[in-house]
Amino acid sequence: MSRFALVATLLLSIIVPTHALAAGVLGYVDMQKVLEESKLGKSLQEELRAEFGPRGEEMAAEEQEIRKLQQGLEREAPLMSADQVSKKEAEVQKRIAAFQEKANTIQQEIMKVQQSKSREIIGPARDSITAVAKKNKVGMVVEAGMSGLLYVDTTLDLTAEVVKHLDANTK
């Protein structure tokens, strides 16, 4: 067992009261599924696609153009002088560098907007988790992908119920 897993297990055993581990008192939610399957999550994903989809298509077209240039250079290099080849290679490398810089900038923008959009769903999702947990008399809810969790009984999964509650209580 890795040191991290051992420490996480020990911490869980200290922090989580024994009675909370009894069946029906502990539950888990897969927040990724909540983000992907809830109406609010789908709406936020659609906003991201609308905002960044055209740029993604533009970047794909640019990438395709760079590939064509590289293939053309490989095909024509034997017919060109060494000076011509090095000039073409420099052009291709310059284009690749510009592409990578633009891709990095867009990636950073996407991450920033995703974080902002995630905040829009986290509050309502937490409210839904709390409501579902109280309704089911669950004393503790953990994230399904939480480090240190080695096994979780699927009957403790509250995700679908949380998505249903979130959909019913958000626009």
Side-chain angles (χ1 to χ4, degrees), residues 58-84:
E58 178 185 318
M59 293 300 290
E62 176 69 15
E63 183 179 16
Q64 189 69 16
E65 188 62 33
I66 290 171
R67 286 182 204 266
K68 286 181 184 177
L69 286 173
Q70 288 174 321
Q71 290 169 352
L73 177 60
E74 287 174 13
R75 198 174 41 250
E76 296 170 12
L79 306 173
M80 301 167 75
S81 69
D83 188 42
Q84 289 174 318

Side-chain angles (χ1 to χ4, degrees), residues 27-152:
Y28 72 92
V29 174
D30 184 338
M31 287 301 289
Q32 188 62 40
K33 277 188 175 179
V34 171
L35 293 172
E36 292 171 359
E37 296 177 4
S38 68
K39 290 177 186 175
L40 182 58
K42 288 177 182 177
S43 170
L44 295 174
Q45 288 175 24
E46 190 56 43
E47 288 177 28
L48 283 172
R49 272 189 224 98
E51 186 172 345
F52 291 101
R55 287 197 243 177
E57 292 171 9
E58 178 185 318
M59 293 300 290
E62 176 69 15
E63 183 179 16
Q64 189 69 16
E65 188 62 33
I66 290 171
R67 286 182 204 266
K68 286 181 184 177
L69 286 173
Q70 288 174 321
Q71 290 169 352
L73 177 60
E74 287 174 13
R75 198 174 41 250
E76 296 170 12
L79 306 173
M80 301 167 75
S81 69
D83 188 42
Q84 289 174 318
V85 169
S86 62
K87 281 183 182 179
K88 282 281 190 185
E89 285 175 342
E91 286 176 29
V92 170
Q93 290 304 317
K94 185 177 177 181
R95 194 123 175 223
I96 289 172
F99 173 82
Q100 288 174 335
E101 185 176 326
K102 188 173 180 180
N104 287 338
T105 301
I106 290 172
Q107 185 66 28
Q108 289 174 351
E109 283 181 55
I110 290 171
M111 287 174 57
K112 193 184 237 181
V113 172
Q114 279 179 328
Q115 288 175 345
S116 172
K117 298 288 183 192
S118 291
R119 283 187 216 109
E120 292 179 32
I121 194 172
I122 295 299
R126 282 192 177 150
D127 294 342
S128 291
I129 291 167
T130 300
V132 168
K134 285 181 180 179
K135 177 183 157 218
N136 292 316
K137 295 181 174 84
V138 172
M140 182 178 189
V141 177
V142 297
E143 164 65 38
M146 191 173 103
S147 288
L149 283 180
L150 302 174
Y151 170 77
V152 180

